[in-house]
Coordinates of all heavy atoms in Angstrom, one line a residue:
M705 N -15.5 -116.8 -21.8 CA -16.9 -116.4 -22.1 C -16.9 -115.6 -23.4 O -16.2 -114.6 -23.5 CB -17.5 -115.6 -20.9 CG -18.9 -115.3 -21.0 SD -19.6 -114.5 -19.6 CE -19.6 -115.8 -18.4
P706 N -17.8 -116.0 -24.3 CA -17.8 -115.3 -25.6 C -18.4 -113.9 -25.4 O -19.2 -113.6 -24.5 CB -18.7 -116.1 -26.5 CG -19.5 -116.9 -25.6 CD -18.7 -117.1 -24.3
S707 N -18.0 -113.0 -26.3 CA -18.5 -111.6 -26.3 C -19.7 -111.5 -27.2 O -19.9 -112.3 -28.2 CB -17.4 -110.6 -26.7 OG -16.9 -110.9 -28.0
T708 N -20.5 -110.5 -27.1 CA -21.6 -110.2 -27.9 C -21.3 -109.1 -28.9 O -20.8 -108.0 -28.5 CB -22.8 -109.7 -27.0 OG1 -23.1 -110.7 -26.0 CG2 -24.1 -109.5 -27.8
L709 N -21.5 -109.4 -30.2 CA -21.3 -108.4 -31.2 C -22.5 -107.5 -31.4 O -23.6 -108.0 -31.6 CB -20.9 -109.1 -32.5 CG -20.6 -108.2 -33.7 CD1 -19.4 -107.3 -33.4 CD2 -20.4 -109.0 -35.0
M710 N -22.3 -106.2 -31.3 CA -23.4 -105.3 -31.6 C -23.0 -104.4 -32.7 O -21.9 -103.8 -32.8 CB -23.6 -104.4 -30.3 CG -24.0 -105.3 -29.1 SD -24.5 -104.4 -27.7 CE -26.1 -103.8 -28.2
I711 N -24.0 -104.2 -33.7 CA -23.7 -103.4 -34.8 C -24.7 -102.2 -34.9 O -25.7 -102.2 -34.3 CB -23.7 -104.2 -36.1 CG1 -25.2 -104.8 -36.4 CG2 -22.7 -105.3 -36.1 CD1 -25.4 -105.4 -37.7
H712 N -24.3 -101.2 -35.6 CA -25.1 -100.0 -35.9 C -24.9 -99.7 -37.4 O -23.9 -100.0 -38.0 CB -24.5 -98.9 -35.0 CG -25.4 -97.7 -34.9 ND1 -25.4 -96.7 -35.9 CD2 -26.3 -97.3 -34.1 CE1 -26.3 -95.8 -35.6 NE2 -26.9 -96.1 -34.5
S713 N -25.9 -99.0 -37.9 CA -25.9 -98.7 -39.4 C -24.8 -97.7 -39.7 O -24.2 -97.8 -40.8 CB -27.2 -98.2 -39.8 OG -27.6 -97.0 -39.1
T714 N -24.4 -96.8 -38.8 CA -23.4 -95.8 -39.2 C -22.2 -95.8 -38.2 O -21.2 -95.3 -38.6 CB -24.0 -94.4 -39.1 OG1 -24.6 -94.1 -37.8 CG2 -25.1 -94.2 -40.2
K715 N -22.4 -96.3 -37.1 CA -21.3 -96.3 -36.1 C -20.5 -97.6 -36.1 O -21.0 -98.6 -36.6 CB -21.8 -96.1 -34.6 CG -22.5 -94.8 -34.5 CD -23.1 -94.6 -33.1 CE -23.9 -93.3 -32.9 NZ -24.4 -93.2 -31.6
P716 N -19.2 -97.6 -35.6 CA -18.4 -98.8 -35.7 C -19.0 -99.9 -34.7 O -19.7 -99.6 -33.8 CB -17.1 -98.4 -35.2 CG -17.3 -97.2 -34.4 CD -18.5 -96.5 -35.0
E717 N -18.8 -101.2 -35.1 CA -19.3 -102.3 -34.3 C -18.6 -102.3 -33.0 O -17.5 -101.9 -32.8 CB -19.2 -103.6 -35.1 CG -17.8 -104.0 -35.3 CD -17.7 -105.3 -36.1 OE1 -18.5 -105.5 -37.0 OE2 -16.7 -106.1 -35.9
R718 N -19.3 -102.9 -32.0 CA -18.7 -103.0 -30.7 C -18.9 -104.4 -30.2 O -19.9 -105.1 -30.4 CB -19.5 -102.1 -29.7 CG -19.4 -100.6 -30.0 CD -18.1 -100.0 -29.5 NE -17.8 -100.2 -28.1 CZ -18.1 -99.4 -27.1 NH1 -18.7 -98.3 -27.3 NH2 -17.7 -99.7 -25.9
R719 N -18.0 -104.9 -29.4 CA -18.1 -106.2 -28.7 C -18.2 -105.9 -27.3 O -17.5 -105.2 -26.7 CB -16.8 -107.0 -29.0 CG -16.7 -107.5 -30.4 CD -15.9 -108.8 -30.5 NE -15.8 -109.3 -31.8 CZ -16.7 -110.2 -32.3 NH1 -17.6 -110.7 -31.4 NH2 -16.6 -110.6 -33.5
V720 N -19.2 -106.6 -26.7 CA -19.5 -106.4 -25.3 C -19.3 -107.7 -24.6 O -20.0 -108.7 -25.0 CB -20.9 -105.9 -25.0 CG1 -21.3 -105.7 -23.5 CG2 -21.1 -104.5 -25.7
K721 N -18.5 -107.8 -23.6 CA -18.3 -109.0 -22.9 C -19.2 -109.1 -21.7 O -19.2 -108.3 -20.8 CB -16.8 -109.1 -22.4 CG -16.5 -110.3 -21.6 CD -15.1 -110.3 -21.1 CE -15.0 -111.3 -20.0 NZ -14.0 -111.0 -19.0
P722 N -20.1 -110.1 -21.7 CA -21.0 -110.2 -20.5 C -20.3 -110.8 -19.3 O -19.2 -111.4 -19.5 CB -22.1 -111.2 -21.0 CG -21.4 -111.9 -22.1 CD -20.4 -111.1 -22.7
G723 N -20.8 -110.6 -18.2 CA -20.2 -111.2 -17.0 C -19.2 -110.2 -16.3 O -19.2 -109.0 -16.5
F724 N -18.4 -110.9 -15.5 CA -17.4 -110.1 -14.7 C -16.3 -109.4 -15.6 O -15.8 -110.0 -16.5 CB -16.7 -111.1 -13.7 CG -16.0 -110.4 -12.6 CD1 -16.7 -109.9 -11.5 CD2 -14.7 -110.1 -12.7 CE1 -16.1 -109.3 -10.4 CE2 -14.0 -109.5 -11.7 CZ -14.7 -109.1 -10.6
N725 N -16.1 -108.2 -15.3 CA -15.1 -107.4 -16.0 C -14.0 -106.9 -15.1 O -14.2 -106.1 -14.2 CB -15.8 -106.2 -16.7 CG -15.0 -105.4 -17.6 OD1 -13.8 -105.3 -17.5 ND2 -15.6 -104.9 -18.6
W726 N -12.8 -107.4 -15.4 CA -11.7 -107.0 -14.5 C -11.3 -105.6 -14.6 O -10.9 -105.0 -13.6 CB -10.5 -107.9 -14.8 CG -10.7 -109.3 -14.2 CD1 -11.1 -110.4 -14.9 CD2 -10.5 -109.7 -12.8 NE1 -11.2 -111.5 -14.0 CE2 -10.8 -111.1 -12.8 CE3 -10.1 -109.0 -11.7 CZ2 -10.7 -111.8 -11.6 CZ3 -10.0 -109.8 -10.5 CH2 -10.3 -111.1 -10.4
A727 N -11.3 -105.0 -15.8 CA -11.0 -103.6 -16.0 C -11.9 -102.7 -15.2 O -11.5 -101.8 -14.5 CB -11.0 -103.2 -17.4
A728 N -13.2 -103.1 -15.2 CA -14.2 -102.3 -14.4 C -14.0 -102.5 -12.9 O -14.2 -101.5 -12.1 CB -15.6 -102.8 -14.7
L729 N -13.5 -103.6 -12.5 CA -13.2 -103.8 -11.1 C -12.0 -102.9 -10.6 O -12.1 -102.3 -9.6 CB -12.8 -105.3 -10.8 CG -12.4 -105.6 -9.3 CD1 -13.6 -105.5 -8.4 CD2 -11.8 -107.0 -9.2
L730 N -11.0 -102.9 -11.4 CA -9.8 -102.1 -11.1 C -10.0 -100.6 -11.2 O -9.5 -99.8 -10.4 CB -8.6 -102.5 -11.9 CG -8.2 -104.0 -11.7 CD1 -7.1 -104.3 -12.7 CD2 -7.8 -104.2 -10.3
F731 N -10.8 -100.2 -12.3 CA -10.8 -98.7 -12.6 C -12.2 -98.1 -12.3 O -12.3 -96.9 -12.4 CB -10.4 -98.5 -14.0 CG -9.0 -98.9 -14.2 CD1 -8.7 -100.0 -15.0 CD2 -7.9 -98.3 -13.6 CE1 -7.4 -100.5 -15.2 CE2 -6.6 -98.7 -13.8 CZ -6.4 -99.8 -14.6
G732 N -13.3 -98.9 -12.1 CA -14.6 -98.4 -11.7 C -15.1 -97.2 -12.5 O -15.6 -97.4 -13.6
S733 N -15.0 -96.0 -11.9 CA -15.6 -94.8 -12.6 C -14.9 -94.5 -13.9 O -15.6 -94.2 -14.9 CB -15.5 -93.6 -11.6 OG -16.1 -93.9 -10.4
L734 N -13.6 -94.6 -13.9 CA -12.9 -94.4 -15.2 C -13.3 -95.3 -16.3 O -13.4 -94.9 -17.4 CB -11.4 -94.4 -14.9 CG -10.8 -93.4 -14.0 CD1 -9.3 -93.7 -13.8 CD2 -11.0 -92.0 -14.6
W735 N -13.5 -96.5 -15.9 CA -14.0 -97.5 -16.9 C -15.3 -97.1 -17.5 O -15.5 -97.2 -18.7 CB -14.1 -98.9 -16.3 CG -14.7 -99.9 -17.2 CD1 -14.0 -100.6 -18.2 CD2 -16.1 -100.3 -17.4 NE1 -14.9 -101.4 -18.9 CE2 -16.2 -101.2 -18.4 CE3 -17.2 -99.8 -16.7 CZ2 -17.4 -101.7 -18.8 CZ3 -18.4 -100.4 -17.2 CH2 -18.5 -101.3 -18.2
A736 N -16.2 -96.7 -16.6 CA -17.6 -96.2 -17.1 C -17.5 -95.1 -18.1 O -18.1 -95.1 -19.1 CB -18.4 -95.8 -15.9
F737 N -16.6 -94.1 -17.8 CA -16.5 -92.9 -18.6 C -15.8 -93.4 -20.0 O -16.2 -92.9 -21.0 CB -15.6 -91.8 -18.0 CG -16.4 -91.0 -17.0 CD1 -16.1 -91.0 -15.7 CD2 -17.5 -90.2 -17.4 CE1 -16.8 -90.2 -14.8 CE2 -18.3 -89.5 -16.6 CZ -17.9 -89.4 -15.2
S738 N -14.8 -94.3 -19.9 CA -14.2 -94.7 -21.1 C -15.1 -95.5 -22.0 O -14.8 -95.5 -23.3 CB -12.9 -95.6 -20.8 OG -13.3 -96.8 -20.3
E739 N -16.1 -96.1 -21.5 CA -17.1 -96.8 -22.4 C -18.3 -96.0 -22.8 O -19.1 -96.4 -23.5 CB -17.6 -98.1 -21.6 CG -16.5 -99.1 -21.4 CD -16.0 -99.8 -22.6 OE1 -16.7 -99.7 -23.7 OE2 -14.9 -100.3 -22.6
G740 N -18.3 -94.7 -22.4 CA -19.3 -93.8 -22.8 C -20.5 -93.8 -21.9 O -21.5 -93.2 -22.2
L741 N -20.4 -94.4 -20.7 CA -21.5 -94.4 -19.7 C -21.4 -93.2 -18.8 O -21.0 -93.2 -17.7 CB -21.4 -95.7 -18.9 CG -21.5 -97.0 -19.7 CD1 -21.2 -98.2 -18.8 CD2 -22.9 -97.1 -20.3
V742 N -21.7 -92.0 -19.4 CA -21.4 -90.7 -18.7 C -22.3 -90.6 -17.5 O -21.8 -90.2 -16.4 CB -21.6 -89.6 -19.7 CG1 -21.4 -88.3 -19.0 CG2 -20.7 -89.7 -20.9
R743 N -23.6 -90.8 -17.6 CA -24.4 -90.6 -16.4 C -24.1 -91.6 -15.3 O -24.0 -91.2 -14.1 CB -25.9 -90.9 -16.8 CG -26.5 -89.7 -17.5 CD -28.0 -89.8 -17.7 NE -28.5 -88.7 -18.4 CZ -29.7 -88.6 -18.9 NH1 -30.5 -89.7 -18.9 NH2 -30.1 -87.6 -19.5
R744 N -23.9 -92.8 -15.6 CA -23.5 -93.8 -14.6 C -22.1 -93.5 -14.0 O -21.9 -93.6 -12.8 CB -23.5 -95.2 -15.1 CG -24.9 -95.7 -15.4 CD -24.9 -97.2 -15.5 NE -26.1 -97.7 -16.0 CZ -27.1 -98.2 -15.3 NH1 -27.0 -98.3 -14.0 NH2 -28.2 -98.6 -15.8
G745 N -21.2 -93.0 -14.9 CA -19.9 -92.6 -14.5 C -20.0 -91.4 -13.5 O -19.3 -91.4 -12.5
G746 N -20.9 -90.5 -13.7 CA -21.1 -89.4 -12.8 C -21.6 -89.8 -11.5 O -21.1 -89.3 -10.4
R747 N -22.5 -90.8 -11.5 CA -23.0 -91.3 -10.2 C -21.9 -92.0 -9.5 O -21.8 -92.0 -8.2 CB -24.2 -92.3 -10.5 CG -25.4 -91.6 -11.0 CD -26.5 -92.5 -11.2 NE -27.6 -91.9 -11.9 CZ -28.1 -92.3 -13.0 NH1 -27.7 -93.5 -13.6 NH2 -29.1 -91.7 -13.7
L748 N -21.1 -92.8 -10.2 CA -19.9 -93.4 -9.6 C -18.9 -92.5 -9.0 O -18.3 -92.7 -7.9 CB -19.3 -94.4 -10.5 CG -20.2 -95.6 -11.0 CD1 -19.5 -96.3 -12.2 CD2 -20.5 -96.5 -9.9
V749 N -18.7 -91.4 -9.7 CA -17.8 -90.3 -9.1 C -18.4 -89.8 -7.9 O -17.6 -89.4 -6.9 CB -17.5 -89.2 -10.2 CG1 -16.9 -88.0 -9.6 CG2 -16.6 -89.8 -11.3
A750 N -19.7 -89.6 -7.8 CA -20.3 -89.1 -6.6 C -20.1 -90.0 -5.4 O -19.8 -89.6 -4.3 CB -21.8 -88.9 -6.8
V751 N -20.1 -91.4 -5.7 CA -19.8 -92.4 -4.7 C -18.3 -92.2 -4.3 O -18.0 -92.3 -3.1 CB -20.2 -93.8 -5.1 CG1 -19.6 -94.8 -4.1 CG2 -21.6 -93.9 -5.3
D752 N -17.5 -92.0 -5.2 CA -16.0 -91.8 -4.9 C -15.8 -90.6 -4.1 O -14.9 -90.6 -3.2 CB -15.2 -91.7 -6.2 CG -15.2 -93.0 -7.0 OD1 -15.3 -94.1 -6.4 OD2 -14.8 -92.9 -8.2
C753 N -16.6 -89.5 -4.3 CA -16.5 -88.3 -3.5 C -16.9 -88.6 -2.0 O -16.3 -88.2 -1.1 CB -17.3 -87.2 -4.1 SG -16.6 -86.6 -5.6
L754 N -18.0 -89.4 -1.9 CA -18.4 -89.8 -0.5 C -17.3 -90.6 0.2 O -17.0 -90.3 1.3 CB -19.7 -90.6 -0.6 CG -20.1 -91.3 0.7 CD1 -20.6 -90.3 1.7 CD2 -21.2 -92.3 0.4
V755 N -16.7 -91.5 -0.6 CA -15.6 -92.3 0.0 C -14.4 -91.4 0.4 O -13.8 -91.5 1.5 CB -15.1 -93.4 -1.0 CG1 -13.8 -94.0 -0.6 CG2 -16.2 -94.4 -1.2
G756 N -14.1 -90.4 -0.4 CA -13.1 -89.4 -0.1 C -13.4 -88.6 1.2 O -12.5 -88.4 2.0
V757 N -14.6 -88.3 1.4 CA -15.0 -87.6 2.6 C -14.9 -88.5 3.8 O -14.4 -88.1 4.8 CB -16.5 -87.1 2.5 CG1 -17.0 -86.6 3.8 CG2 -16.6 -85.9 1.4
L758 N -15.3 -89.7 3.6 CA -15.2 -90.7 4.8 C -13.7 -90.9 5.1 O -13.3 -91.0 6.3 CB -15.8 -92.0 4.4 CG -17.4 -92.0 4.4 CD1 -17.9 -93.3 3.9 CD2 -17.9 -91.7 5.7
W759 N -12.8 -91.0 4.1 CA -11.4 -91.2 4.3 C -10.8 -90.0 5.0 O -9.9 -90.1 5.8 CB -10.7 -91.5 3.1 CG -10.8 -93.0 2.6 CD1 -11.2 -94.0 3.4 CD2 -10.6 -93.5 1.3 NE1 -11.2 -95.2 2.6 CE2 -10.9 -94.9 1.3 CE3 -10.2 -92.9 0.1 CZ2 -10.7 -95.6 0.2 CZ3 -10.0 -93.7 -1.0 CH2 -10.3 -95.1 -1.0
S760 N -11.3 -88.8 4.6 CA -10.6 -87.6 5.1 C -11.0 -87.3 6.5 O -10.3 -86.5 7.2 CB -11.0 -86.4 4.2 OG -12.4 -86.1 4.4
I761 N -12.0 -87.9 7.1 CA -12.4 -87.7 8.5 C -11.3 -88.2 9.3 O -10.9 -87.6 10.4 CB -13.7 -88.3 8.8 CG1 -14.8 -87.6 8.0 CG2 -14.0 -88.4 10.3 CD1 -16.2 -88.2 8.1
G762 N -10.7 -89.3 9.0 CA -9.4 -89.8 9.6 C -9.6 -90.8 10.7 O -8.7 -91.3 11.2
Y763 N -10.8 -91.1 11.1 CA -11.0 -92.1 12.1 C -11.0 -93.5 11.5 O -11.4 -93.6 10.3 CB -12.4 -91.9 12.8 CG -12.5 -90.7 13.6 CD1 -13.4 -89.7 13.3 CD2 -11.8 -90.5 14.8 CE1 -13.5 -88.5 14.1 CE2 -11.8 -89.4 15.6 CZ -12.7 -88.4 15.2 OH -12.8 -87.3 16.0
P764 N -10.4 -94.4 12.2 CA -10.3 -95.8 11.6 C -11.7 -96.4 11.1 O -11.8 -97.0 10.1 CB -9.7 -96.6 12.7 CG -8.9 -95.7 13.5 CD -9.7 -94.4 13.5
A765 N -12.7 -96.1 11.9 CA -14.0 -96.7 11.5 C -14.6 -96.1 10.3 O -15.1 -96.8 9.4 CB -15.0 -96.4 12.7
T766 N -14.4 -94.8 10.1 CA -14.9 -94.1 8.8 C -14.0 -94.5 7.6 O -14.5 -94.6 6.5 CB -15.0 -92.6 9.0 OG1 -13.7 -92.1 9.3 CG2 -15.9 -92.2 10.0
M767 N -12.7 -94.7 7.9 CA -11.8 -95.1 6.8 C -12.2 -96.5 6.4 O -12.2 -96.8 5.2 CB -10.4 -95.0 7.2 CG -10.0 -93.5 7.4 SD -8.3 -93.4 8.1 CE -7.3 -93.7 6.6
L768 N -12.5 -97.4 7.3 CA -12.9 -98.7 7.0 C -14.2 -98.7 6.3 O -14.4 -99.5 5.3 CB -13.0 -99.6 8.3 CG -13.3 -101.0 8.1 CD1 -12.2 -101.7 7.3 CD2 -13.5 -101.7 9.5
A769 N -15.2 -97.9 6.7 CA -16.5 -97.8 6.0 C -16.3 -97.3 4.6 O -16.9 -97.8 3.7 CB -17.4 -96.9 6.8
G770 N -15.4 -96.3 4.4 CA -15.2 -95.8 3.1 C -14.5 -96.8 2.2 O -14.9 -96.9 1.0
S771 N -13.6 -97.5 2.7 CA -13.0 -98.6 1.9 C -14.0 -99.7 1.5 O -14.0 -100.1 0.4 CB -11.9 -99.3 2.7 OG -10.9 -98.3 3.0
A772 N -14.9 -100.0 2.4 CA -15.9 -101.0 2.1 C -16.9 -100.5 1.0 O -17.2 -101.3 0.1 CB -16.7 -101.4 3.4
V773 N -17.2 -99.3 1.1 CA -18.1 -98.7 0.1 C -17.4 -98.7 -1.3 O -18.0 -99.0 -2.3 CB -18.6 -97.2 0.5 CG1 -19.3 -96.5 -0.7 CG2 -19.5 -97.3 1.7
F774 N -16.1 -98.3 -1.3 CA -15.3 -98.2 -2.5 C -15.2 -99.6 -3.2 O -15.4 -99.8 -4.4 CB -14.0 -97.6 -2.2 CG -13.1 -97.5 -3.4 CD1 -13.4 -96.4 -4.3 CD2 -12.1 -98.3 -3.7 CE1 -12.6 -96.2 -5.5 CE2 -11.3 -98.2 -4.9 CZ -11.6 -97.1 -5.7
I775 N -14.9 -100.6 -2.4 CA -14.8 -102.0 -2.9 C -16.1 -102.5 -3.4 O -16.2 -103.1 -4.4 CB -14.2 -102.9 -1.8 CG1 -12.7 -102.5 -1.6 CG2 -14.2 -104.3 -2.2 CD1 -12.0 -103.1 -0.4
A776 N -17.2 -102.3 -2.6 CA -18.5 -102.7 -3.1 C -18.9 -102.0 -4.4 O -19.5 -102.7 -5.2 CB -19.5 -102.4 -2.0
K777 N -18.6 -100.7 -4.5 CA -18.9 -100.0 -5.7 C -18.2 -100.7 -6.9 O -18.8 -100.9 -8.0 CB -18.6 -98.6 -5.6 CG -18.8 -97.8 -6.9 CD -17.9 -96.6 -7.1 CE -16.5 -96.9 -7.1 NZ -15.7 -96.3 -8.1
N778 N -17.0 -100.9 -6.8 CA -16.2 -101.5 -7.9 C -16.6 -102.9 -8.2 O -16.6 -103.3 -9.4 CB -14.7 -101.4 -7.6 CG -14.1 -100.1 -7.8 OD1 -14.9 -99.1 -8.1 ND2 -12.8 -100.0 -7.8
V779 N -17.0 -103.7 -7.2 CA -17.5 -105.0 -7.5 C -18.9 -105.0 -8.2 O -19.1 -105.7 -9.2 CB -17.7 -105.8 -6.2 CG1 -18.5 -107.1 -6.4 CG2 -16.3 -106.1 -5.6
V780 N -19.7 -104.1 -7.8 CA -21.0 -103.9 -8.6 C -20.7 -103.5 -10.1 O -21.4 -104.0 -11.0 CB -21.9 -102.9 -7.8 CG1 -23.1 -102.4 -8.7 CG2 -22.4 -103.4 -6.6
V781 N -19.8 -102.5 -10.2 CA -19.5 -102.1 -11.6 C -18.9 -103.3 -12.4 O -19.3 -103.5 -13.6 CB -18.5 -100.9 -11.6 CG1 -18.0 -100.6 -13.0 CG2 -19.2 -99.7 -11.0
A782 N -18.1 -104.1 -11.8 CA -17.5 -105.2 -12.5 C -18.5 -106.3 -12.9 O -18.4 -106.9 -13.9 CB -16.4 -105.8 -11.6
R783 N -19.5 -106.5 -12.0 CA -20.5 -107.5 -12.3 C -21.6 -107.0 -13.2 O -22.1 -107.8 -14.0 CB -21.1 -107.9 -11.0 CG -20.1 -108.7 -10.1 CD -20.8 -109.3 -8.9 NE -21.7 -110.3 -9.3 CZ -22.6 -110.9 -8.6 NH1 -22.7 -110.5 -7.3 NH2 -23.4 -111.8 -9.0
S784 N -21.9 -105.7 -13.2 CA -23.0 -105.2 -14.0 C -22.6 -104.4 -15.2 O -23.4 -104.0 -16.0 CB -23.9 -104.3 -13.1 OG -24.3 -105.1 -12.0
G785 N -21.3 -104.1 -15.3 CA -20.9 -103.2 -16.3 C -21.2 -103.6 -17.8 O -21.6 -102.8 -18.6
G786 N -21.1 -104.9 -18.0 CA -21.4 -105.4 -19.4 C -22.8 -105.2 -19.7 O -23.2 -104.8 -20.9
T787 N -23.7 -105.5 -18.8 CA -25.1 -105.3 -19.0 C -25.5 -103.8 -19.2 O -26.2 -103.4 -20.1 CB -25.9 -105.8 -17.8 OG1 -25.6 -107.2 -17.6 CG2 -27.4 -105.7 -18.0
W788 N -24.8 -102.9 -18.4 CA -25.1 -101.5 -18.5 C -24.6 -101.0 -19.9 O -25.3 -100.2 -20.6 CB -24.3 -100.7 -17.5 CG -24.7 -100.9 -16.1 CD1 -25.9 -101.5 -15.7 CD2 -24.0 -100.5 -14.9 NE1 -25.9 -101.5 -14.3 CE2 -24.8 -100.9 -13.8 CE3 -22.8 -99.9 -14.7 CZ2 -24.3 -100.7 -12.5 CZ3 -22.3 -99.7 -13.4 CH2 -23.2 -100.1 -12.3
L789 N -23.5 -101.5 -20.4 CA -23.0 -101.1 -21.7 C -23.8 -101.6 -22.8 O -24.1 -100.8 -23.7 CB -21.5 -101.6 -21.8 CG -20.8 -101.2 -23.1 CD1 -20.8 -99.7 -23.3 CD2 -19.4 -101.8 -23.2
Q790 N -24.3 -102.8 -22.7 CA -25.2 -103.4 -23.7 C -26.5 -102.6 -23.8 O -27.0 -102.2 -24.9 CB -25.5 -104.8 -23.5 CG -26.1 -105.6 -24.6 CD -26.1 -107.0 -24.4 OE1 -25.6 -107.6 -23.4 NE2 -26.6 -107.8 -25.4
Q791 N -27.1 -102.2 -22.6 CA -28.3 -101.4 -22.6 C -28.0 -100.0 -23.2 O -28.9 -99.5 -24.0 CB -28.8 -101.3 -21.2 CG -29.4 -102.5 -20.6 CD -29.6 -102.4 -19.1 OE1 -29.3 -101.5 -18.5 NE2 -30.3 -103.5 -18.6
H792 N -26.9 -99.4 -22.9 CA -26.5 -98.1 -23.4 C -26.4 -98.1 -25.0 O -26.9 -97.2 -25.7 CB -25.2 -97.6 -22.8 CG -24.7 -96.3 -23.3 ND1 -25.4 -95.1 -23.0 CD2 -23.7 -96.0 -24.1 CE1 -24.7 -94.1 -23.6 NE2 -23.7 -94.7 -24.2
L793 N -25.7 -99.1 -25.5 CA -25.6 -99.2 -26.9 C -26.9 -99.5 -27.6 O -27.2 -99.0 -28.7 CB -24.6 -100.3 -27.2 CG -23.1 -100.0 -26.8 CD1 -22.3 -101.3 -27.1 CD2 -22.6 -98.8 -27.5
A794 N -27.7 -100.4 -27.0 CA -29.1 -100.6 -27.6 C -29.9 -99.3 -27.6 O -30.7 -99.1 -28.6 CB -29.8 -101.7 -26.8
A795 N -29.8 -98.5 -26.6 CA -30.5 -97.2 -26.6 C -30.0 -96.3 -27.7 O -30.7 -95.4 -28.2 CB -30.4 -96.5 -25.3
Q796 N -28.7 -96.5 -28.2 CA -28.2 -95.6 -29.2 C -28.5 -96.2 -30.6 O -28.2 -95.6 -31.6 CB -26.6 -95.6 -29.1 CG -26.2 -94.7 -28.0 CD -24.7 -94.7 -27.9 OE1 -24.0 -95.4 -28.6 NE2 -24.2 -93.8 -27.1
G797 N -29.2 -97.3 -30.7 CA -29.5 -97.9 -32.0 C -28.7 -99.1 -32.4 O -28.9 -99.6 -33.5
Y798 N -27.9 -99.6 -31.5 CA -27.1 -100.8 -31.8 C -28.0 -102.0 -31.7 O -29.0 -102.0 -30.9 CB -26.0 -101.0 -30.9 CG -24.7 -100.2 -31.2 CD1 -24.6 -98.9 -30.8 CD2 -23.7 -100.7 -31.9 CE1 -23.5 -98.1 -31.1 CE2 -22.6 -100.0 -32.2 CZ -22.5 -98.7 -31.8 OH -21.3 -98.0 -32.1
R799 N -27.7 -103.1 -32.5 CA -28.5 -104.3 -32.3 C -27.5 -105.4 -32.2 O -26.4 -105.4 -32.7 CB -29.5 -104.5 -33.5 CG -28.9 -104.5 -34.8 CD -30.0 -104.5 -35.9 NE -29.4 -104.4 -37.2 CZ -29.1 -105.4 -38.0 NH1 -29.4 -106.6 -37.6 NH2 -28.5 -105.2 -39.2
V800 N -28.0 -106.5 -31.5 CA -27.2 -107.6 -31.2 C -27.2 -108.6 -32.4 O -28.2 -108.9 -33.0 CB -27.7 -108.4 -30.0 CG1 -26.9 -109.7 -29.7 CG2 -27.6 -107.5 -28.8
I801 N -26.0 -109.1 -32.8 CA -25.8 -110.1 -33.8 C -25.5 -111.4 -33.1 O -24.5 -111.4 -32.4 CB -24.7 -109.7 -34.8 CG1 -25.1 -108.4 -35.6 CG2 -24.4 -110.8 -35.8 CD1 -26.3 -108.5 -36.4
S802 N -26.2 -112.4 -33.3 CA -26.0 -113.7 -32.6 C -24.9 -114.5 -33.4 O -24.8 -114.6 -34.5 CB -27.2 -114.6 -32.5 OG -28.4 -113.9 -32.5

């Protein structure tokens, strides 16, 4: 799948890959912070903290629920991350070059 080139008048150009992102699937919150999505990254860390609380309770049902929430969060980030990044860059003044 081709990537989208985004340019800015003073900042370096960025390529954004639309669609599923494997790095976002594996690293979730860290991926969001590394791409500059600080607010979304903070929300994702809050979900990670909730998962940690569920895991720390120690019952198999809560650990299973925590694992399901963690996997679902990372899948959502992997599927939507490119769109989030493109919106974030557009808000900073980047424009898409076709």
Side-chain angles (χ1 to χ4, degrees):
M705 188 176 286
S707 60
T708 303
L709 179 63
M710 299 187 75
I711 63 169
H712 192 275
S713 59
T714 58
K715 297 178 183 179
E717 66 184 33
R718 298 280 306 265
R719 288 203 177 267
V720 178
K721 181 184 163 211
F724 195 83
N725 187 329
W726 285 98
L729 177 69
L730 296 175
F731 300 109
S733 305
L734 292 176
W735 175 86
F737 282 118
S738 73
E739 293 294 341
L741 301 170
V742 177
R743 283 189 178 164
R744 289 199 193 259
R747 293 180 190 127
L748 295 170
V749 166
V751 173
D752 290 339
C753 291
L754 170 67
V755 168
V757 168
L758 290 173
W759 282 342
S760 69
I761 292 173
Y763 293 115
T766 60
M767 293 175 76
L768 184 63
S771 297
V773 169
F774 183 77
I775 291 169
K777 177 207 62 137
N778 280 6
V779 168
V780 168
V781 172
R783 292 186 67 191
S784 305
T787 304
W788 295 344
L789 182 57
Q790 195 168 359
Q791 290 171 351
H792 176 71
L793 293 173
Q796 288 182 347
Y798 280 84
R799 57 189 174 95
V800 175
I801 296 296
S802 332

